[in-house]
């Protein structure tokens, strides 16, 4: 039995911020952002929350799958921007949608978070521990951006994407590959709340994302193609057999470089970053939902997915739709 995605959903905040909007509040331009990254706009939260968007994406995915919250017995949210340190975002989603039978928890694998969560859910389903899983990638990255650092804040956006997974005799996950390199953690980092116990001087330092963009770029264009190739081979396929590559949306130049290394046509790499920017763990499920709703995904198609980012971490999957 394969682990199959039977429904997808997504939710983006209402407010759209274009590159021109940003150029009015900081020293940047549409020309720089779009030519270096392919990003033209992003959605940023006002009142929306990570859990609220996650719950809405989950409702849409359940609706698409034709199931109810009562059917869900596992909820995993990949996020680095949960609204609370506790409870977890997944527990908040459980409460919001009324999935009373579910076990719910978050995982932190940054931009690979959705893919790591997908693999965990896949493993649980394969062992028979749970039957129906909701896997979500969700972020409100705008709250951990340093809005004085134009080299990072223009890249990221907010949003959530969700999938429903169930065992099926047809299709599903064919292979997985994932990895981490904690030694390089410093190239993409964000400090959490600092120690303020009575033994130390209280520090008011706030954590913002710090990224060595060029290091991350180099990591992405070497690690992602290697991981995708390993996964495709483990699935018993070749790169030519893959119908779509649904990759983490960080930079269109990374997608082009990966396509080149894989010797795959660029039109097999769908894009949402032009409209959404980089939404870390939410990128892949939002992209998948767009592809699903556009009718691009047909039964039997082979889809390669890959996430990469902070940790450093990476994860790829090949599945039959
Ligand atoms: O999801 C996590 C994974 N993250 C990624 O995959 C990000 C990977 N990295 C990248 O996508 C690229 O490295 C960036 C888009 C972040 C940066 O592109 P780059 O071509 O590597 O630019 P750079 O950092 O070398 O900066 C070039 C110039 C600098 O000016 P000088 O020193 O050449 O005068 C920057 O100060 O561009 C300047 N710059 C900007 N100018 C206008 C940096 N940010 C901006 C900006 N607007 N927003």
């Amino acid at each position: 039995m394969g682990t199959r995605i039977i429904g997808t959903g997504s939710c983006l905040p209402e407010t759209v911020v274009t590159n021109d909007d940003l150029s009015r509040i900081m020293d940047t331009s549409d020309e720089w952002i779009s030519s270096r990254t392919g990003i033209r706009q992003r959605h940023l939260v006002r009142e929306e929350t990570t859990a609220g968007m996650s719950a809405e994406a989950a409702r849409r995915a359940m609706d698409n799958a034709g199931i109810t919250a009562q059917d869900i017995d596992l909820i995993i949210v990949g996020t680095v921007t949960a609204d609370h340190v506790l409870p977890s975002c997944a527990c908040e989603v459980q409460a919001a949608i009324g999935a009373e039978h579910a076990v719910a928890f978050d995982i932190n694998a940054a931009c690979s978070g959705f893919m790591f969560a997908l693999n965990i859910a896949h493993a649980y389903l394969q062992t028979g521990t749970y039957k129906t899983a909701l896997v979500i990638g969700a972020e409100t990255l705008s709250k951990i951006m340093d809005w004085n650092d134009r080299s990072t804040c223009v890249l990221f956006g907010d949003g959530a994407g969700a999938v429903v997974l169930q065992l099926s005799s047809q299709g599903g996950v064919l292979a997985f590959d994932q990895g981490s390199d904690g030694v390089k953690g410093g190239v993409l980092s964000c400090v959490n709340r600092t120690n303020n116990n009575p033994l130390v001087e209280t520090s008011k330092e706030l954590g913002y994302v710090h990224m060595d963009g060029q290091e991350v770029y180099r990591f992405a264009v070497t690690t992602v193609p290697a991981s995708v190739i390993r996964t495709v081979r483990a699935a018993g396929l070749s790169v030519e057999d893959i119908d779509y590559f649904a990759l983490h949306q960080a930079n269109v130049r990374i997608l082009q470089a990966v396509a080149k290394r894989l010797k795959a046509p660029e039109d097999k790499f769908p894009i949402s970053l032009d409209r959404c920017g980089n939404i870390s763990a939410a990128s892949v499920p939002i992209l998948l939902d767009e592809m699903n709703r556009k009718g691009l995904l047909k039964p039997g198609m082979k889809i390669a997915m890959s996430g990469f980012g902070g940790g450093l971490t990476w994860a790829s999957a090949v599945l039959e739709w």
Side-chain angles (χ1 to χ4, degrees):
M1 296 284 271
T3 307
R4 198 158 161 245
I5 294 177
I6 61 163
T8 64
S10 59
C11 176
L12 292 166
E14 215 176 298
T15 306
V16 171
V17 177
T18 65
N19 294 344
D20 283 334
D21 292 334
L22 290 181
S23 72
R24 284 189 274 277
I25 54 170
M26 66 182 75
D27 182 15
T28 190
S29 64
D30 176 50
E31 202 283 325
W32 191 95
I33 302 170
S34 54
S35 65
R36 300 267 176 161
T37 69
I39 297 164
R40 298 192 171 275
Q41 62 172 53
R42 71 286 296 141
H43 293 245
L44 300 185
V45 292
R46 286 182 192 272
E47 303 302 325
E48 299 94 338
T49 61
T50 304
M53 291 188 295
S54 298
E56 189 52 34
R59 285 186 203 101
R60 291 172 188 173
M62 290 189 297
D63 190 44
N64 185 240
I67 63 157
T68 72
Q70 295 295 310
D71 300 315
I72 303 285
D73 50 13
L74 174 66
I75 302 172
I76 312 178
V77 180
T79 185
V80 294
T81 49
D83 304 307
H84 303 104
V85 175
L86 52 99
S88 68
C89 182
C91 283
E92 292 196 86
V93 171
Q94 177 192 21
I97 65 174
E100 56 190 306
H101 310 301
V103 164
F105 59 91
D106 291 355
I107 62 131
N108 175 344
C111 305
S112 316
F114 170 79
M115 296 301 300
F116 273 50
L118 189 70
N119 198 16
I120 296 167
H122 167 54
Y124 270 128
L125 263 58
Q126 287 297 316
T127 60
T129 311
Y130 301 112
K131 290 191 167 43
T132 305
L134 194 51
V135 177
I136 300 170
E139 306 286 5
T140 46
L141 294 167
S142 57
K143 69 188 175 197
I144 57 166
M145 286 301 130
D146 178 353
W147 287 95
N148 293 311
D149 176 6
R150 66 176 181 172
S151 65
T152 54
C153 68
V154 301
L155 307 173
F156 294 93
D158 302 329
V163 300
V164 176
L165 291 176
Q166 260 180 0
L167 287 183
S168 160
S169 54
Q170 285 181 331
V173 175
L174 302 176
F176 238 106
D177 175 75
Q178 58 184 15
S180 311
D181 181 2
V183 172
K184 299 217 182 81
V187 303
L188 180 44
S189 64
C190 179
V191 175
N192 204 342
R193 296 196 323 189
T194 50
N195 186 1
N196 69 345
N197 76 25
L199 305 177
V200 296
E201 292 284 319
T202 301
S203 164
K204 295 270 190 255
E205 190 189 339
L206 285 173
Y208 292 114
V209 169
H210 173 78
M211 180 170 76
D212 180 339
Q214 294 190 357
E215 266 304 312
V216 179
Y217 189 95
R218 271 191 287 276
F219 153 73
V221 298
T222 52
T223 307
V224 175
S227 173
V228 170
I229 287 171
R230 271 195 303 276
T231 320
V232 168
R233 287 193 183 141
L237 300 171
S238 63
V239 169
E240 297 76 54
D241 296 323
I242 302 298
D243 295 287
Y244 286 111
F245 298 86
L247 303 192
H248 171 47
Q249 303 282 298
N251 188 323
V252 76
R253 290 188 293 140
I254 294 177
L255 299 178
Q256 289 162 346
V258 173
K260 201 168 164 196
R261 282 183 194 233
L262 293 176
K263 299 193 181 64
E266 280 179 25
D267 61 7
K268 284 190 173 183
F269 291 70
I271 290 173
S272 61
L273 65 82
D274 55 334
R275 287 154 291 125
C276 300
N278 178 344
I279 322 181
S280 189
S283 289
V284 172
I286 288 173
L287 182 68
L288 207 61
D289 184 47
E290 279 193 9
M291 293 165 70
N292 191 19
R293 281 166 203 276
K294 278 184 195 158
L296 296 181
L297 302 171
K298 312 262 187 262
M301 274 187 168
K302 309 291 187 297
I303 316 297
M305 304 192 289
S306 193
F308 57 90
L312 296 174
T313 56
W314 61 94
S316 307
V318 168
L319 52 89
E320 185 179 309
W321 194 252

mmCIF file of all heavy atoms in Angstrom, residues 27-29 32-33 36-37 111 150-151 154-156 188 211 213-214 216-217 248 250-251 253-254 278 308-309, ligand 1:
data_model
loop_
_atom_site.group_PDB
_atom_site.id
_atom_site.type_symbol
_atom_site.label_atom_id
_atom_site.label_comp_id
_atom_site.label_asym_id
_atom_site.label_seq_id
_atom_site.Cartn_x
_atom_site.Cartn_y
_atom_site.Cartn_z
ATOM 1 N N ASP A 27 15.444 50.900 0.773
ATOM 2 C CA ASP A 27 16.298 51.136 -0.384
ATOM 3 C C ASP A 27 16.374 49.856 -1.235
ATOM 4 O O ASP A 27 17.319 49.070 -1.127
ATOM 5 C CB ASP A 27 17.689 51.557 0.107
ATOM 6 C CG ASP A 27 18.614 51.854 -1.069
ATOM 7 O OD1 ASP A 27 18.121 52.004 -2.198
ATOM 8 O OD2 ASP A 27 19.842 51.910 -0.821
ATOM 9 N N THR A 28 15.343 49.627 -2.046
ATOM 10 C CA THR A 28 15.325 48.472 -2.939
ATOM 11 C C THR A 28 14.529 48.843 -4.177
ATOM 12 O O THR A 28 14.059 49.979 -4.300
ATOM 13 C CB THR A 28 14.728 47.235 -2.228
ATOM 14 O OG1 THR A 28 14.945 46.086 -3.035
ATOM 15 C CG2 THR A 28 13.231 47.396 -1.967
ATOM 16 N N SER A 29 14.387 47.908 -5.105
ATOM 17 C CA SER A 29 13.639 48.208 -6.332
ATOM 18 C C SER A 29 13.027 46.930 -6.872
ATOM 19 O O SER A 29 13.537 45.829 -6.625
ATOM 20 C CB SER A 29 14.574 48.810 -7.382
ATOM 21 O OG SER A 29 15.538 47.831 -7.740
ATOM 22 N N TRP A 32 15.692 45.106 -8.911
ATOM 23 C CA TRP A 32 16.657 44.262 -8.186
ATOM 24 C C TRP A 32 15.983 42.972 -7.733
ATOM 25 O O TRP A 32 16.484 41.877 -7.977
ATOM 26 C CB TRP A 32 17.237 44.993 -6.958
ATOM 27 C CG TRP A 32 18.416 44.254 -6.357
ATOM 28 C CD1 TRP A 32 19.739 44.481 -6.623
ATOM 29 C CD2 TRP A 32 18.377 43.152 -5.430
ATOM 30 N NE1 TRP A 32 20.526 43.582 -5.923
ATOM 31 C CE2 TRP A 32 19.719 42.750 -5.183
ATOM 32 C CE3 TRP A 32 17.363 42.457 -4.790
ATOM 33 C CZ2 TRP A 32 20.050 41.702 -4.329
ATOM 34 C CZ3 TRP A 32 17.688 41.403 -3.942
ATOM 35 C CH2 TRP A 32 19.028 41.033 -3.727
ATOM 36 N N ILE A 33 14.834 43.097 -7.082
ATOM 37 C CA ILE A 33 14.201 41.899 -6.491
ATOM 38 C C ILE A 33 13.790 40.919 -7.591
ATOM 39 O O ILE A 33 14.082 39.719 -7.516
ATOM 40 C CB ILE A 33 12.983 42.264 -5.612
ATOM 41 C CG1 ILE A 33 13.382 43.208 -4.489
ATOM 42 C CG2 ILE A 33 12.358 40.999 -5.027
ATOM 43 C CD1 ILE A 33 12.214 43.811 -3.713
ATOM 44 N N ARG A 36 16.921 39.370 -9.491
ATOM 45 C CA ARG A 36 17.776 38.468 -8.681
ATOM 46 C C ARG A 36 17.032 37.247 -8.171
ATOM 47 O O ARG A 36 17.654 36.253 -7.809
ATOM 48 C CB ARG A 36 18.318 39.201 -7.447
ATOM 49 C CG ARG A 36 19.150 40.401 -7.739
ATOM 50 C CD ARG A 36 20.623 40.056 -7.792
ATOM 51 N NE ARG A 36 21.369 41.234 -8.181
ATOM 52 C CZ ARG A 36 22.656 41.393 -7.975
ATOM 53 N NH1 ARG A 36 23.354 40.457 -7.371
ATOM 54 N NH2 ARG A 36 23.255 42.478 -8.377
ATOM 55 N N THR A 37 15.690 37.346 -8.055
ATOM 56 C CA THR A 37 14.963 36.253 -7.387
ATOM 57 C C THR A 37 13.740 35.737 -8.147
ATOM 58 O O THR A 37 13.304 34.622 -7.903
ATOM 59 C CB THR A 37 14.432 36.722 -6.004
ATOM 60 O OG1 THR A 37 13.389 37.678 -6.209
ATOM 61 C CG2 THR A 37 15.522 37.343 -5.156
ATOM 62 N N CYS A 111 12.802 25.358 6.030
ATOM 63 C CA CYS A 111 12.159 25.286 4.708
ATOM 64 C C CYS A 111 11.924 23.846 4.260
ATOM 65 O O CYS A 111 11.186 23.613 3.304
ATOM 66 C CB CYS A 111 12.984 26.033 3.672
ATOM 67 S SG CYS A 111 13.296 27.732 4.140
ATOM 68 N N ARG A 150 17.507 44.694 4.006
ATOM 69 C CA ARG A 150 16.856 44.534 2.699
ATOM 70 C C ARG A 150 17.280 43.255 1.993
ATOM 71 O O ARG A 150 16.594 42.784 1.089
ATOM 72 C CB ARG A 150 17.178 45.744 1.804
ATOM 73 C CG ARG A 150 18.648 45.836 1.442
ATOM 74 C CD ARG A 150 18.930 46.975 0.493
ATOM 75 N NE ARG A 150 20.362 46.995 0.152
ATOM 76 C CZ ARG A 150 20.887 47.754 -0.760
ATOM 77 N NH1 ARG A 150 20.128 48.595 -1.437
ATOM 78 N NH2 ARG A 150 22.181 47.705 -1.008
ATOM 79 N N SER A 151 18.439 42.676 2.387
ATOM 80 C CA SER A 151 18.903 41.490 1.672
ATOM 81 C C SER A 151 18.104 40.233 2.061
ATOM 82 O O SER A 151 18.164 39.232 1.361
ATOM 83 C CB SER A 151 20.402 41.262 1.905
ATOM 84 O OG SER A 151 20.632 40.971 3.260
ATOM 85 N N VAL A 154 13.007 41.196 1.832
ATOM 86 C CA VAL A 154 12.247 41.277 0.572
ATOM 87 C C VAL A 154 11.934 39.884 0.006
ATOM 88 O O VAL A 154 11.124 39.754 -0.909
ATOM 89 C CB VAL A 154 13.014 42.093 -0.496
ATOM 90 C CG1 VAL A 154 13.292 43.503 -0.003
ATOM 91 C CG2 VAL A 154 14.309 41.410 -0.931
ATOM 92 N N LEU A 155 12.603 38.857 0.553
ATOM 93 C CA LEU A 155 12.511 37.521 -0.057
ATOM 94 C C LEU A 155 11.320 36.709 0.444
ATOM 95 O O LEU A 155 10.860 35.805 -0.239
ATOM 96 C CB LEU A 155 13.786 36.717 0.250
ATOM 97 C CG LEU A 155 15.119 37.376 -0.107
ATOM 98 C CD1 LEU A 155 16.272 36.528 0.415
ATOM 99 C CD2 LEU A 155 15.224 37.554 -1.611
ATOM 100 N N PHE A 156 10.871 37.015 1.661
ATOM 101 C CA PHE A 156 9.980 36.072 2.333
ATOM 102 C C PHE A 156 8.528 36.544 2.389
ATOM 103 O O PHE A 156 8.248 37.737 2.287
ATOM 104 C CB PHE A 156 10.497 35.804 3.755
ATOM 105 C CG PHE A 156 11.831 35.076 3.758
ATOM 106 C CD1 PHE A 156 13.030 35.782 3.805
ATOM 107 C CD2 PHE A 156 11.877 33.699 3.670
ATOM 108 C CE1 PHE A 156 14.251 35.123 3.787
ATOM 109 C CE2 PHE A 156 13.094 33.032 3.647
ATOM 110 C CZ PHE A 156 14.283 33.737 3.710
ATOM 111 N N LEU A 188 22.008 30.185 8.041
ATOM 112 C CA LEU A 188 20.597 30.611 7.996
ATOM 113 C C LEU A 188 20.025 30.382 9.389
ATOM 114 O O LEU A 188 19.704 29.257 9.774
ATOM 115 C CB LEU A 188 19.839 29.798 6.931
ATOM 116 C CG LEU A 188 18.347 30.068 6.702
ATOM 117 C CD1 LEU A 188 18.024 31.554 6.669
ATOM 118 C CD2 LEU A 188 17.909 29.435 5.400
ATOM 119 N N MET A 211 20.732 35.545 7.192
ATOM 120 C CA MET A 211 21.042 34.575 6.139
ATOM 121 C C MET A 211 22.255 35.013 5.329
ATOM 122 O O MET A 211 22.342 36.158 4.902
ATOM 123 C CB MET A 211 19.838 34.425 5.196
ATOM 124 C CG MET A 211 20.092 33.430 4.074
ATOM 125 S SD MET A 211 18.605 33.020 3.127
ATOM 126 C CE MET A 211 18.423 34.491 2.142
ATOM 127 N N GLY A 213 23.115 34.623 2.090
ATOM 128 C CA GLY A 213 22.381 34.219 0.882
ATOM 129 C C GLY A 213 23.217 33.430 -0.106
ATOM 130 O O GLY A 213 22.761 32.434 -0.675
ATOM 131 N N GLN A 214 24.466 33.868 -0.281
ATOM 132 C CA GLN A 214 25.287 33.192 -1.297
ATOM 133 C C GLN A 214 25.660 31.775 -0.876
ATOM 134 O O GLN A 214 25.716 30.872 -1.705
ATOM 135 C CB GLN A 214 26.520 34.030 -1.609
ATOM 136 C CG GLN A 214 26.087 35.335 -2.278
ATOM 137 C CD GLN A 214 27.232 36.136 -2.849
ATOM 138 O OE1 GLN A 214 28.391 35.754 -2.710
ATOM 139 N NE2 GLN A 214 26.918 37.244 -3.479
ATOM 140 N N VAL A 216 23.812 29.857 1.114
ATOM 141 C CA VAL A 216 22.592 29.051 0.993
ATOM 142 C C VAL A 216 22.344 28.722 -0.481
ATOM 143 O O VAL A 216 21.946 27.608 -0.837
ATOM 144 C CB VAL A 216 21.370 29.772 1.613
ATOM 145 C CG1 VAL A 216 20.108 28.936 1.447
ATOM 146 C CG2 VAL A 216 21.600 30.041 3.090
ATOM 147 N N TYR A 217 22.608 29.696 -1.327
ATOM 148 C CA TYR A 217 22.439 29.490 -2.777
ATOM 149 C C TYR A 217 23.324 28.336 -3.262
ATOM 150 O O TYR A 217 22.870 27.421 -3.952
ATOM 151 C CB TYR A 217 22.792 30.789 -3.512
ATOM 152 C CG TYR A 217 22.443 30.767 -4.983
ATOM 153 C CD1 TYR A 217 21.236 31.291 -5.433
ATOM 154 C CD2 TYR A 217 23.328 30.234 -5.919
ATOM 155 C CE1 TYR A 217 20.903 31.269 -6.778
ATOM 156 C CE2 TYR A 217 23.005 30.207 -7.261
ATOM 157 C CZ TYR A 217 21.801 30.734 -7.684
ATOM 158 O OH TYR A 217 21.474 30.708 -9.017
ATOM 159 N N HIS A 248 10.898 23.621 -3.345
ATOM 160 C CA HIS A 248 10.818 24.786 -2.461
ATOM 161 C C HIS A 248 11.088 26.057 -3.275
ATOM 162 O O HIS A 248 12.009 26.100 -4.101
ATOM 163 C CB HIS A 248 11.852 24.643 -1.338
ATOM 164 C CG HIS A 248 11.990 25.862 -0.504
ATOM 165 N ND1 HIS A 248 10.902 26.544 -0.001
ATOM 166 C CD2 HIS A 248 13.090 26.548 -0.088
ATOM 167 C CE1 HIS A 248 11.328 27.588 0.689
ATOM 168 N NE2 HIS A 248 12.648 27.612 0.650
ATOM 169 N N ALA A 250 12.428 29.373 -3.402
ATOM 170 C CA ALA A 250 13.299 30.366 -2.753
ATOM 171 C C ALA A 250 13.770 31.404 -3.764
ATOM 172 O O ALA A 250 13.832 32.595 -3.452
ATOM 173 C CB ALA A 250 14.493 29.686 -2.103
ATOM 174 N N ASN A 251 14.117 30.944 -4.960
ATOM 175 C CA ASN A 251 14.696 31.848 -5.952
ATOM 176 C C ASN A 251 14.552 31.173 -7.314
ATOM 177 O O ASN A 251 14.921 30.001 -7.458
ATOM 178 C CB ASN A 251 16.180 32.081 -5.616
ATOM 179 C CG ASN A 251 16.801 33.154 -6.480
ATOM 180 O OD1 ASN A 251 16.489 33.269 -7.665
ATOM 181 N ND2 ASN A 251 17.684 33.936 -5.899
ATOM 182 N N ARG A 253 16.247 31.562 -9.830
ATOM 183 C CA ARG A 253 17.571 31.165 -10.368
ATOM 184 C C ARG A 253 17.995 29.812 -9.805
ATOM 185 O O ARG A 253 18.687 29.051 -10.482
ATOM 186 C CB ARG A 253 18.622 32.240 -10.043
ATOM 187 C CG ARG A 253 18.403 33.531 -10.843
ATOM 188 C CD ARG A 253 19.559 34.496 -10.656
ATOM 189 N NE ARG A 253 19.632 35.011 -9.311
ATOM 190 C CZ ARG A 253 20.756 35.201 -8.611
ATOM 191 N NH1 ARG A 253 21.922 34.908 -9.127
ATOM 192 N NH2 ARG A 253 20.726 35.701 -7.397
ATOM 193 N N ILE A 254 17.576 29.493 -8.572
ATOM 194 C CA ILE A 254 17.875 28.160 -8.018
ATOM 195 C C ILE A 254 17.104 27.105 -8.807
ATOM 196 O O ILE A 254 17.658 26.067 -9.194
ATOM 197 C CB ILE A 254 17.516 28.087 -6.511
ATOM 198 C CG1 ILE A 254 18.435 29.013 -5.711
ATOM 199 C CG2 ILE A 254 17.612 26.646 -5.994
ATOM 200 C CD1 ILE A 254 18.139 29.074 -4.214
ATOM 201 N N ASN A 278 9.213 33.539 -0.809
ATOM 202 C CA ASN A 278 9.649 32.312 -0.140
ATOM 203 C C ASN A 278 8.854 32.169 1.167
ATOM 204 O O ASN A 278 8.953 33.017 2.047
ATOM 205 C CB ASN A 278 11.158 32.445 0.136
ATOM 206 C CG ASN A 278 11.747 31.261 0.880
ATOM 207 O OD1 ASN A 278 11.026 30.454 1.453
ATOM 208 N ND2 ASN A 278 13.068 31.178 0.886
ATOM 209 N N PHE A 308 14.461 22.585 1.033
ATOM 210 C CA PHE A 308 15.836 22.776 1.504
ATOM 211 C C PHE A 308 15.909 24.094 2.257
ATOM 212 O O PHE A 308 15.178 25.024 1.948
ATOM 213 C CB PHE A 308 16.818 22.801 0.326
ATOM 214 C CG PHE A 308 16.484 23.863 -0.691
ATOM 215 C CD1 PHE A 308 17.012 25.147 -0.589
ATOM 216 C CD2 PHE A 308 15.628 23.595 -1.738
ATOM 217 C CE1 PHE A 308 16.694 26.136 -1.517
ATOM 218 C CE2 PHE A 308 15.286 24.576 -2.668
ATOM 219 C CZ PHE A 308 15.825 25.844 -2.551
ATOM 220 N N GLY A 309 16.785 24.152 3.238
ATOM 221 C CA GLY A 309 16.943 25.424 3.949
ATOM 222 C C GLY A 309 17.618 25.262 5.296
ATOM 223 O O GLY A 309 18.484 24.398 5.478
HETATM 224 O O1 LIG B 1 14.495 29.300 1.969
HETATM 225 C C1 LIG B 1 15.784 29.326 2.462
HETATM 226 C C2 LIG B 1 16.683 29.232 1.371
HETATM 227 N N1 LIG B 1 17.161 30.556 0.975
HETATM 228 C C3 LIG B 1 17.676 30.704 -0.213
HETATM 229 O O2 LIG B 1 17.662 29.776 -0.999
HETATM 230 C C4 LIG B 1 18.328 32.020 -0.585
HETATM 231 C C5 LIG B 1 19.478 31.729 -1.492
HETATM 232 N N2 LIG B 1 20.194 32.962 -1.887
HETATM 233 C C6 LIG B 1 19.689 33.806 -2.802
HETATM 234 O O3 LIG B 1 18.624 33.588 -3.349
HETATM 235 C C7 LIG B 1 20.537 34.995 -3.191
HETATM 236 O O4 LIG B 1 21.829 34.854 -2.661
HETATM 237 C C8 LIG B 1 19.931 36.350 -2.729
HETATM 238 C C9 LIG B 1 18.668 36.648 -3.521
HETATM 239 C C10 LIG B 1 19.607 36.289 -1.250
HETATM 240 C C11 LIG B 1 20.906 37.497 -2.980
HETATM 241 O O5 LIG B 1 21.287 37.547 -4.340
HETATM 242 P P1 LIG B 1 22.795 37.797 -4.766
HETATM 243 O O6 LIG B 1 22.826 37.833 -6.230
HETATM 244 O O7 LIG B 1 23.604 36.728 -4.074
HETATM 245 O O8 LIG B 1 23.062 39.250 -4.189
HETATM 246 P P2 LIG B 1 24.165 39.710 -3.129
HETATM 247 O O9 LIG B 1 23.786 39.251 -1.763
HETATM 248 O O10 LIG B 1 25.523 39.343 -3.651
HETATM 249 O O11 LIG B 1 24.030 41.272 -3.179
HETATM 250 C C12 LIG B 1 24.412 41.998 -4.355
HETATM 251 C C13 LIG B 1 24.200 43.462 -4.130
HETATM 252 C C14 LIG B 1 24.846 44.002 -2.853
HETATM 253 O O12 LIG B 1 25.328 45.307 -3.151
HETATM 254 P P3 LIG B 1 26.902 45.536 -3.459
HETATM 255 O O13 LIG B 1 27.625 45.081 -2.222
HETATM 256 O O14 LIG B 1 27.204 44.691 -4.656
HETATM 257 O O15 LIG B 1 26.973 46.992 -3.718
HETATM 258 C C15 LIG B 1 23.704 44.139 -1.894
HETATM 259 O O16 LIG B 1 23.902 45.151 -0.936
HETATM 260 O O17 LIG B 1 22.799 43.745 -4.003
HETATM 261 C C16 LIG B 1 22.574 44.522 -2.818
HETATM 262 N N3 LIG B 1 21.261 44.203 -2.294
HETATM 263 C C17 LIG B 1 20.127 44.828 -2.667
HETATM 264 N N4 LIG B 1 19.907 45.848 -3.507
HETATM 265 C C18 LIG B 1 18.634 46.247 -3.661
HETATM 266 C C19 LIG B 1 20.947 43.229 -1.401
HETATM 267 N N5 LIG B 1 19.623 43.214 -1.194
HETATM 268 C C20 LIG B 1 19.101 44.194 -1.958
HETATM 269 C C21 LIG B 1 17.790 44.668 -2.169
HETATM 270 N N6 LIG B 1 17.599 45.690 -3.030
HETATM 271 N N7 LIG B 1 16.716 44.122 -1.558
#
